[in-house]
Amino acid sequence: MRSFSIGFGTRLIGKKIGETDYRISAFPLGGYVKIAGMVDESLDTGFVSSKPEPYEFRSKPFYQKFFVITAGVIMNMILAVFLFWAIFMVEGKTFRNVNEVGYVIPNSPAFEAGFREGDKILTLNGRKINYWDDIIRTAFVDDLTKDLSFEVQRNGEKIFISIPRTKISEFSSEDALGILPAHVEVMVMAVEPGRPAQKIGIQSKDVIVSVNDEKIYSPAQLTSIIKSNAGKEITLKIKRGDKIFDQKITPDADGRIGVQIASFYNGPVKKESYNPLEALWIGVRETYRVSALTVNGIKQLITGKIPFQKGVAGPIRIAKFATRSADAGFTAFLGFMAILSISLAFLNIFPFPGLDGGHLAILVVEAIIRRELSYRVKIAIQQAGIIILIILMIFVLYNDIVHF
């Protein structure tokens, strides 16, 4: 290894240990490892005119090059498994012990299919539903590409409801289906300074029970009601600890009151504990589940079903999410880091110049044509990729600031 750099571009400071230069470079938007005998994002071609050395990347067989390029991605996935394993070892796993529909989102796939509040879901695609989490796992992991067939109990009778997969056009979540379990509340996660909510004293962890006596079940419902009352006084019923009280508030002209909200389940749960081997297996399954959701999210992003501005996050928003997860507890923070590690794995393996996936694509092409691409071609590919990546990074930073 020639160098280990935090950041790209011109070397600012560093120290050489053995044959490796550990450095900090001018543009702190990521980093790279410079492997001897490899054309990469450093654009260093000083080795081209010299005879290949046995230790250099260019002298190695395909399988060794393949392993080196994918090693980072593999380690990201292993780290995710380890983090999930630690979580399940310490805390076990908590299941939402309910199969009753508490709210059906208007105009959603579930609403159009005929779901109603109070329906009890007995089976999904032939699988028995013991917990609400069984629905999410079946719909978005086990049967990710299949249509959904529900067996439902309503007023003592069994009925069957089907939702075509093509109708589920949003990101993989309960909101995508349009059904939320009973006992779901909407909690304030953060309050924006200077906004109406902060001025009237709304606090983090407050639960918004209703707006103008309309019961609130989901963040989307609350957001829609507030936007429709821009500039008009409304009455919020708020639960804070054991106290419930009314609070009048007037949304801004843009239909916002300045709160970040999320669904919060406050119903019966069942907790399971695991031994080390069981926790490891559950960790592998959880890594697979999150990976499946990530792939589906990328697909939705590419096809435009998820707006690009909402689907990407840079260092500012990641730090914000990390802080919020840390506030929720150490295991929540570990879970966030596991999800972030999986996201980085899929980002790196994407076949784009400058990323590990771009190097892998070149390697595969060379294996197919049975010869190495010219260094001039490789340099051109890397230069184009780096320019696009820098533009993308600038956009992501701008997007972070706008949505901060």
Side-chain angles (χ1 to χ4, degrees):
M1 185 167 61
R2 295 297 189 193
S3 58
F4 182 96
S5 176
I6 298 176
F8 297 96
T10 304
R11 181 183 189 274
L12 299 179
I13 58 174
K15 181 177 179 61
K16 189 170 184 180
I17 302 176
E19 297 295 325
T20 304
D21 178 27
Y22 295 89
R23 65 172 71 169
I24 295 178
S25 300
F27 300 100
L29 301 176
Y32 68 91
V33 172
K34 171 58 182 170
I35 300 175
M38 179 180 181
V39 177
D40 57 14
E41 52 271 23
S42 70
L43 302 180
D44 178 20
T45 58
F47 62 89
V48 173
S49 59
S50 62
K51 180 181 178 182
E53 298 291 342
Y55 60 82
E56 290 184 325
F57 180 83
R58 55 179 171 167
S59 300
K60 301 300 180 181
F62 174 84
Y63 75 92
Q64 290 185 353
K65 292 179 179 179
F66 183 92
F67 178 75
V68 168
I69 290 174
T70 58
V73 173
I74 294 171
M75 288 306 300
N76 276 128
M77 301 303 286
I78 291 176
L79 175 61
V81 171
F82 173 79
L83 291 173
F84 282 132
W85 172 80
I87 291 170
F88 296 132
M89 272 290 295
V90 173
E91 287 200 346
K93 193 171 184 179
T94 301
F95 299 90
R96 290 172 288 181
N97 195 10
V98 64
N99 65 349
E100 180 182 342
V101 176
Y103 179 66
V104 183
I105 299 174
N107 304 316
S108 66
F111 181 87
E112 294 177 354
F115 268 101
R116 297 294 178 265
E117 294 174 16
D119 287 349
K120 292 185 177 180
I121 300 175
L122 305 178
T123 66
L124 173 53
N125 287 0
R127 295 183 176 90
K128 185 178 179 181
I129 300 301
N130 296 308
Y131 312 106
W132 193 263
D133 306 85
D134 295 337
I135 300 171
I136 304 305
R137 187 185 67 249
T138 300
F140 297 114
V141 179
D142 297 337
D143 294 347
L144 182 61
T145 60
K146 298 180 181 178
D147 295 339
L148 303 180
S149 298
F150 297 84
E151 182 183 1
V152 174
Q153 186 178 65
R154 179 183 299 168
N155 299 325
E157 297 183 1
K158 291 183 180 179
I159 62 174
F160 295 89
I161 298 176
S162 297
I163 301 179
R165 177 60 61 173
T166 54
K167 293 286 187 179
I168 307 172
S169 58
E170 298 293 331
F171 190 68
S172 306
S173 67
E174 295 157 349
D175 289 348
L177 290 176
I179 50 175
L180 299 176
H183 313 292
V184 165
E185 299 175 328
V186 175
M187 178 178 287
V188 175
M189 304 304 292
V191 181
E192 299 176 18
R195 291 282 191 169
Q198 191 263 342
K199 292 177 181 178
I200 67 168
I202 290 179
Q203 301 175 11
S204 176
K205 296 187 179 180
D206 282 352
V207 173
I208 299 180
V209 179
S210 66
V211 179
N212 290 342
D213 294 324
E214 181 178 343
K215 184 79 169 71
I216 297 300
Y217 296 92
S218 75
Q221 177 197 15
L222 176 60
T223 300
S224 176
I225 293 174
I226 291 175
K227 281 189 175 182
S228 66
N229 286 277
K232 303 175 185 176
E233 186 179 75
I234 57 178
T235 302
L236 305 179
K237 186 177 291 295
I238 297 173
K239 181 169 70 172
R240 181 178 297 163
D242 296 329
K243 298 180 180 178
I244 297 179
F245 57 92
D246 290 340
Q247 183 70 61
K248 294 187 181 298
I249 189 172
T250 301
D252 288 339
D254 59 356
R256 297 176 61 195
I257 62 173
V259 292
Q260 297 174 20
I261 52 178
S263 293
F264 173 72
Y265 177 75
N266 195 28
V269 298
K270 182 178 178 181
K271 188 172 182 179
E272 292 186 357
S273 299
Y274 306 105
N275 63 41
L277 287 178
E278 289 173 334
L280 178 60
W281 173 239
I282 298 296
V284 172
R285 287 179 54 186
E286 189 69 8
T287 301
Y288 170 77
R289 183 186 74 84
V290 175
S291 297
L293 296 180
T294 302
V295 170
N296 192 42
I298 293 173
K299 186 190 303 181
Q300 303 280 3
L301 191 64
I302 292 174
T303 56
K305 294 179 179 179
I306 296 178
F308 190 76
Q309 293 90 337
K310 294 183 178 181
V312 297
I316 296 175
R317 291 172 71 188
I318 289 173
K320 184 178 180 180
F321 296 146
T323 301
R324 189 181 301 169
S325 63
D327 291 341
F330 184 65
T331 53
F333 177 70
L334 290 183
F336 172 77
M337 296 306 295
I339 294 171
L340 179 60
S341 186
I342 293 171
S343 300
L344 289 175
F346 280 96
L347 173 64
N348 270 327
I349 205 62
F350 196 76
F352 191 86
L355 302 176
D356 290 342
H359 294 301
L360 185 60
I362 291 175
L363 182 61
V364 171
V365 168
E366 290 178 338
I368 292 173
I369 65 177
R370 297 180 179 276
R371 63 180 178 82
E372 190 174 359
L373 295 177
S374 71
Y375 290 113
R376 181 174 296 180
V377 171
K378 289 183 180 180
I379 287 293
I381 292 174
Q382 291 297 322
Q383 288 176 330
I386 289 173
I387 291 172
I388 296 174
L389 284 176
I390 290 175
I391 294 173
L392 180 60
M393 289 175 181
I394 293 173
F395 170 79
V396 169
L397 284 172
Y398 170 78
N399 191 53
D400 278 2
I401 294 170
V402 170
H403 293 91
F404 185 72

